[in-house]
């Protein structure tokens, strides 16, 4: 993926030459992994460590791995948007915000290229942002979570079908007991699916 990451870095350094935006690249098994896990965007810890899904999100990921019975290194892990979207409060505090339209439009074509390079056997999306990047703006996680979907991924002249298994974003369900149970049931469905697929 070195070539791809280099291209990404080049593009964004030209786009925002004055700003030092930290890019958090995907990591893990980059050739035909059993799962390519796609989140929304890096947060503070991810930006500090320049790795996706560390800190609190990393803890959630550990829970995911334990249930489905895979090691982190067996997956390819990435985000739709590869910079940390932030807002500054009136008091000057920096916090995360959802990616805006411009960020999504800039990064989504790179995600398509990334998927076509990695050729995962299955894509697991976390929350609405990666789901919509792959299945269109009208997709809603509440309607498709825990059930296999198919998406056509296109970049330049290349195009291929991929299986998508949408999950809620674990960070978004922290305060919702009912959704936590749904998320756990979806993880078990994913595990069964992986076992059935060999
Ligand atoms: N950290 C990530 O890398 N991605 C997310 O979606 C959330 C936290």
């Amino acid at each position: 993926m070195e070539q791809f990451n280099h291209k990404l870095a080049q593009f964004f350094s030209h786009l925002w030459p004055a700003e030092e935006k930290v890019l958090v690249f995907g990591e893990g098994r980059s050739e035909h992994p059993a799962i390519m896990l796609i989140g929304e965007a890096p947060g503070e810890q991810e930006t500090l460590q320049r790795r996706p899904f560390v800190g609190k999100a990393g803890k959630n990921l550990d829970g995911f791995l334990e249930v489905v019975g895979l090691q982190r290194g067996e997956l390819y892990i990435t985000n739709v948007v590869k910079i940390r979207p932030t807002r500054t409060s009136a008091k000057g505090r920096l916090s995360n915000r959802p990616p805006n339209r411009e960020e999504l439009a800039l990064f989504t074509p790179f995600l398509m290229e990334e998927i076509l390079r990695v050729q995962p056997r299955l894509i697991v999306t976390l929350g609405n942002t990666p789901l919509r990047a792959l299945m269109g703006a009208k997709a809603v996680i509440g309607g498709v979570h825990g059930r296999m979907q198919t998406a056509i991924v296109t970049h330049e002249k290349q195009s291929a079908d991929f299986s998508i298994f949408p999950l809620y974003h674990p960070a978004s369900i922290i305060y919702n007991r009912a959704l936590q149970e749904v998320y756990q049931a979806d993880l078990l469905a994913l595990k069964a699916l992986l076992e059935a697929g060999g």
Side-chain angles (χ1 to χ4, degrees), residues 44-81:
E44 184 181 18
Q45 274 306 314
E46 285 76 13
T47 306
L48 287 171
Q49 296 184 39
R50 295 177 185 245
R51 294 184 63 200
F53 287 90
V54 290
K56 223 181 258 172
K59 288 256 158 60
N60 290 332
L61 178 59
D62 290 343
F64 168 94
L65 294 169
E66 201 173 316
V67 176
V68 300
L70 290 170
Q71 308 273 328
R72 183 176 172 120
E74 294 178 81
L75 270 52
Y76 183 81
I77 303 171
T78 194
N79 287 298
V80 179
V81 167

Side-chain angles (χ1 to χ4, degrees), residues 27-40:
E27 68 171 28
R29 182 168 299 179
S30 56
E31 283 172 32
H32 297 290
I35 290 178
M36 177 170 180
L37 188 76
I38 311 179
E40 180 174 274

Side-chain angles (χ1 to χ4, degrees), residues 138-150:
K138 290 200 181 121
V140 180
I141 185 64
V144 292
H145 69 89
R147 283 185 289 126
M148 194 78 99
Q149 313 289 314
T150 306

